[in-house]
Amino acid sequence: MNTIQKHPAKNNRSLIPHPTARATKEKTERPIFPAALRAFPIVLAVGAILLGICTAIAYATPDPDAYAPPLSVGAAALTAFIGGILTVRQCGKDTSAFFCGLIGGILLLLCQLLLSLCFSGSREWGLHSSVPVAILLRVGLILTEVLGALAGKTRKDSNRAHHRPPMAD
């Protein structure tokens, strides 16, 4: 009796992949919209905390009206950046960071517009400044979320550029 008949599984190891090898080769991509919806409550909580901090800073000054607009825009931008990072981490490794940030930015913009309609008492869709400035701020919010998603995207091999083979003469 030869060794193949004694140990058939030993010789067939190359044909059957290891279970962990299969798990690492599978894509970790998740659908973008449900992943963005899962990250959205965390983004809103982060935004509420940042807005509370900025409100406390504004009220600590002698004239809070002068500091409220720049601090609130800064809190919105920082919330969008952090939201982009959280959204792209929730979406998985093989997902496009641009689309994750775009979906998250649109969700954040819709929430901001809805809240401005509910609490501002105006019928102007929350546009309290001039229309071009308001549009610029809204587009900037989405672009900031996209930048956060691009910054939060994990790199597959960051040292790849350092290990290039030498060039032929």
Side-chain angles (χ1 to χ4, degrees):
M1 190 182 236
N2 61 17
T3 57
I4 294 175
Q5 292 170 347
K6 287 182 185 177
H7 305 288
K10 191 175 191 180
N11 295 326
N12 292 332
R13 284 188 182 175
S14 63
L15 300 176
I16 302 170
H18 195 268
T20 57
R22 278 185 288 191
T24 57
K25 289 181 182 178
E26 292 177 2
K27 287 190 171 186
T28 57
E29 182 176 347
R30 297 181 194 129
I32 295 175
F33 191 72
L37 282 178
R38 277 194 306 272
F40 193 63
I42 301 168
V43 173
L44 288 180
V46 167
I49 291 170
L50 287 173
L51 194 58
I53 292 170
C54 289
T55 302
I57 291 171
Y59 278 118
T61 62
D63 185 19
D65 290 337
Y67 293 103
L71 285 173
S72 63
V73 169
L78 193 57
T79 300
F81 191 80
I82 293 171
I85 293 171
L86 292 174
T87 303
V88 78
R89 295 289 169 98
Q90 193 68 249
C91 287
K93 290 181 183 176
D94 297 328
T95 310
S96 169
F98 177 77
F99 289 120
C100 286
L102 187 67
I103 299 278
I106 290 171
L107 284 173
L108 194 61
L109 177 67
L110 290 175
C111 180
Q112 181 188 20
L113 287 175
L114 182 69
L115 288 174
S116 68
L117 283 176
C118 293
F119 295 116
S120 70
S122 72
R123 297 181 184 192
E124 302 163 354
W125 292 83
L127 302 174
H128 297 292
S129 56
S130 67
V131 174
V133 171
I135 290 173
L136 182 69
L137 287 174
R138 289 350 185 242
V139 170
L141 185 77
I142 294 173
L143 290 178
T144 306
E145 181 117 8
V146 170
L147 285 176
L150 291 173
K153 181 79 172 168
T154 56
R155 306 295 185 260
K156 291 185 181 184
D157 189 6
S158 61
N159 294 329
R160 185 174 15 187
H162 300 291
H163 299 293
R164 290 185 182 156
M167 298 193 62
D169 290 330

